[in-house]
Amino acid sequence: MTFISPQFARFLVTGFGATVVHIAVAVFLTALLEFKPVAANGIAFLIATGFSYLCNTQWSFQAKINLQSASRYILTTLISFAVTLSLSAWAQHMNLHYGAGIILTILALPIINYFAHYYFTYAE
């Protein structure tokens, strides 16, 4: 019996890869091309999200790239953004260290996103 499914493991690897892509693009744009940090992170987010969609679609969920899954992926990403803000706001409201919101997000979002993609984005 495995602890996590191979599909979920691929999903986690893809998420880690998207994080590395985001960091690399943001640093490249900020440090080498002298973009403002907000612009660099915005561009990095879009590139990392595209990378994540492609990898998750073809590798993690072994689905076809199409308009329906792309639209659902974007919607799921926007909902994840709202969840991230909500967790951070809750931690702040509870007078917790800002790191608590980050930790909650790191722990909750991969699980929420996996099931959202499994049952919504890539559902047939």
Side-chain angles (χ1 to χ4, degrees), residues 28-96:
F28 173 77
L29 292 175
T30 304
L32 298 176
L33 299 183
E34 299 181 0
F35 276 57
K36 300 283 186 192
V38 172
N41 271 298
I43 293 167
F45 174 82
L46 293 174
I47 291 170
T49 299
F51 170 87
S52 181
Y53 169 70
L54 293 173
C55 289
N56 275 318
T57 301
Q58 294 188 312
W59 187 49
S60 302
F61 292 94
Q62 299 173 348
K64 300 277 187 213
I65 293 172
N66 58 46
L67 186 58
Q68 179 180 351
S69 67
S71 299
R72 289 179 176 189
Y73 201 92
I74 290 168
L75 180 59
T76 302
T77 299
L78 293 172
I79 292 168
S80 295
F81 180 66
V83 170
T84 298
L85 294 180
S86 297
L87 291 171
S88 295
W90 179 81
Q92 180 178 322
H93 175 75
M94 299 301 291
N95 293 318
L96 300 173

Side-chain angles (χ1 to χ4, degrees), residues 7-19 51 55-56 59-60:
Q7 185 179 57
F8 186 63
R10 290 189 301 266
F11 179 79
L12 292 176
V13 169
T14 296
F16 179 78
T19 301
F51 170 87
C55 289
N56 275 318
W59 187 49
S60 302

